[in-house]
Amino acid sequence: VAGVQTCALPIPASAAELSTSDVLSPSQVRCFMDCQIRWWFKYGLKVPDTPTGNMALGRAVHSALCENFAQKVDTREDLPTPGVTALFREAWANEREQTEFRDEESPQELAATGEALVTKYMDYVAPTIDPAVVELKVDGQIGGVRVRGWIDLLDVEGRVIDIKTAKARPSSVE
């Protein structure tokens, strides 16, 4: 048919054709619970999500704070807050280049929000954390299903600390 374009995506006939080496992550579970078709495109067909402003904000804040904690493992001291804010600005500039902002997302407002989040975190939360490990890869099995994920911070008391910038408060785990 003239004027019709087709897209040749490698579509597995069933979920059974997904690689048996694939493992389940918390992000995959969250994606599946939110929207099964989005999960299929992202993990079954390997079509990545287009990064949004909020995703970029989260990655930039995470990058700056984890850099602080990575050095704190060795020095036992936080970096100065202006230094961590500068790390955020650098990470934000990198993220901004590869981000597709939605109509309601203002890059300038997100940058200001990120700077405020980093500053508040560094002033009030970071001094209370004594990190033992930063960005720890974990894997194992749950009910015979291979799982893997990342722990943002593990403190010297064995507490798992997750850095999030979501608007909604995450549920807790006892």
Side-chain angles (χ1 to χ4, degrees):
V1 176
V4 174
Q5 294 182 350
T6 61
C7 179
L9 291 174
I11 302 175
S14 70
E17 289 185 35
L18 291 173
S19 171
T20 56
S21 66
D22 286 345
V23 296
L24 195 58
S25 70
S27 297
Q28 283 189 35
V29 172
R30 185 174 46 252
C31 181
F32 185 83
M33 297 302 288
D34 289 344
C35 179
Q36 290 84 20
I37 194 68
R38 181 171 162 247
W39 178 89
W40 181 249
F41 276 99
K42 187 172 183 176
Y43 297 103
L45 301 179
K46 310 291 188 219
V47 178
D49 283 337
T50 302
T52 65
N54 284 323
M55 294 166 106
L57 173 66
R59 286 194 297 263
V61 168
H62 182 272
S63 175
L65 294 176
C66 282
E67 184 67 30
N68 171 68
F69 289 120
Q71 71 78 37
K72 190 174 180 178
V73 169
D74 295 329
T75 67
R76 311 313 313 160
E77 292 184 20
D78 288 305
L79 293 170
T81 298
V84 181
T85 303
L87 290 170
F88 166 78
R89 285 187 197 117
E90 182 179 326
W92 175 251
N94 292 333
E95 290 291 339
R96 187 177 173 164
E97 290 177 12
Q98 46 194 325
T99 300
E100 185 177 300
F101 292 95
R102 296 176 178 165
D103 290 341
E104 72 275 8
E105 293 177 329
S106 163
Q108 294 79 12
E109 287 178 20
L110 287 169
T113 297
E115 286 190 29
L117 287 170
V118 167
T119 299
K120 189 159 288 265
Y121 196 95
M122 289 303 299
D123 290 346
Y124 295 101
V125 180
T128 69
I129 297 173
D130 191 6
V133 182
V134 179
E135 296 187 328
L136 175 66
K137 184 178 180 182
V138 293
D139 54 35
Q141 285 194 359
I142 298 175
V145 176
R146 291 181 52 208
V147 295
R148 81 166 157 234
W150 289 88
I151 294 175
D152 292 342
L153 293 169
L154 185 64
D155 77 2
V156 295
E157 296 176 16
R159 291 181 298 177
V160 174
I161 301 168
D162 200 22
I163 298 171
K164 294 290 180 209
T165 58
K167 292 180 183 178
R169 182 181 173 97
S171 60
S172 66
V173 176
E174 294 297 325

